[in-house]
Amino acid sequence: MFSKLLSSIFKRGNENSTEMHFDTTQQQENTMSNHFLDLAKQRRTIYALGKDMPVADEEAIDTIKEAVKQAPSAFNSQSSRIVILLGKEHNRFWEITREQLRKIVPADHFAGTSAKVDGFAAAAGSVLFFEDQDVVKTLQEQFASYADNFPVWSEHSTGIAQYAVWLALAEKGIGANLQHYNPLIDSDVKTAWQIPESWKLRAHMNFGSIEAPAGEKTYIDDDQRFIIAK
């Protein structure tokens, strides 16, 4: 369902051959549109995560991969690179993070930091989001007039990929939260999982079973956020 939803959002369909077919398709698109907004509301930052996921690992992996594939990127660069860690490899990631934090957090404050890491490690897995800088550099060389924009557009691409994965996981009933301990952990992560040198870590998402719901979400007033011109 989510891959169809992404296709509906990111691609324009062909014109329908009959009015009846158009009406049916329009109703389906409206349903998908409503589903997307409902899903956007469902997606929340869930900190209380566990390892008892509502779907099998392979289904979660396929969901993440498909969401990234369907996410748009500037010039169709497809610059996003993903590492999915489950089980002991997910735990290993957070132990690496813990040890790097130990080097910079004062000893009398480290217990709280370590407890926070324990909370992240309690999840079932991690998605590490990278951007391939070789792709960015190649585009800069090919389209010199846009050279300054490609690093910015690369950041847009990873943000879209992160949101797409988050939504896709939410649809499966999987909770997630997004963290940023880069660049503190970059070197160790590259060594641990033999990451290509050109891959730049941008974020890491924990995912797992929802052990406690998110709190109430508040919103700023629309007039502070939106300008409407007709």
Side-chain angles (χ1 to χ4, degrees):
M1 179 62 174
F2 188 72
S3 61
K4 294 180 180 178
L5 175 62
L6 285 176
S7 297
S8 175
I9 295 167
F10 296 149
K11 300 177 182 178
R12 297 295 299 177
N14 295 326
E15 292 185 1
N16 300 298
S17 58
T18 67
E19 183 177 352
M20 181 179 295
H21 184 51
F22 174 80
D23 289 343
T24 301
T25 302
Q26 188 65 51
Q27 291 173 1
Q28 292 174 342
E29 289 180 352
N30 288 339
T31 299
M32 284 186 174
S33 177
N34 292 335
H35 175 69
F36 175 79
L37 292 178
D38 289 342
L39 186 56
K41 294 175 184 177
Q42 179 181 332
R43 183 225 55 83
R44 298 294 307 280
T45 295
I46 306 294
Y47 289 111
L49 296 174
K51 300 185 184 300
D52 187 20
M53 287 204 298
V55 301
D57 287 353
E58 288 306 315
E59 184 173 349
I61 291 169
D62 290 344
T63 297
I64 292 165
K65 290 168 64 176
E66 188 64 21
V68 173
K69 287 179 181 179
Q70 295 301 330
S73 57
F75 286 60
N76 193 31
S77 60
Q78 302 178 54
S79 54
S80 293
R81 302 291 182 265
I82 304 297
V83 174
I84 303 172
L85 304 174
L86 292 159
K88 63 181 179 61
E89 294 299 308
H90 162 75
N91 294 337
R92 182 186 181 194
F93 171 80
W94 282 109
E95 285 307 312
I96 287 173
T97 305
R98 190 196 311 273
E99 292 311 307
Q100 285 299 325
L101 288 169
R102 193 188 302 275
K103 297 175 183 179
I104 63 171
V105 176
D108 57 344
H109 288 84
F110 187 71
T113 298
S114 186
K116 188 175 183 180
V117 170
D118 287 341
F120 296 142
S126 303
V127 186
L128 311 188
F129 293 88
F130 297 81
E131 282 291 302
D132 192 339
Q133 300 308 295
D134 282 350
V135 174
V136 176
K137 291 175 183 176
T138 297
L139 288 169
Q140 288 178 308
E141 293 168 357
Q142 290 179 342
F143 305 97
S145 60
Y146 298 126
D148 291 343
N149 289 328
F150 283 113
V152 178
W153 292 339
S154 171
E155 294 299 296
H156 295 173
S157 294
T158 188
I160 295 169
Q162 291 164 31
Y163 186 59
V165 169
W166 210 337
L167 288 175
L169 292 175
E171 186 183 46
K172 297 289 184 179
I174 301 171
N177 61 70
L178 191 66
Q179 304 301 321
H180 303 84
Y181 286 99
N182 49 297
L184 179 66
I185 61 175
D186 288 17
S187 179
D188 285 350
V189 167
K190 284 187 174 183
T191 299
W193 290 284
Q194 300 181 339
I195 306 299
E197 187 59 34
S198 64
W199 291 22
K200 184 178 182 180
L201 183 61
R202 307 314 300 134
H204 29 283
M205 181 180 292
N206 300 306
F207 64 90
S209 55
I210 300 173
E211 301 301 315
E216 183 180 357
K217 187 173 182 178
T218 60
Y219 302 88
I220 63 174
D221 292 340
D222 284 1
D223 59 4
Q224 297 179 32
R225 197 168 192 177
F226 304 103
I227 295 176
I228 311 298
K230 295 183 178 181

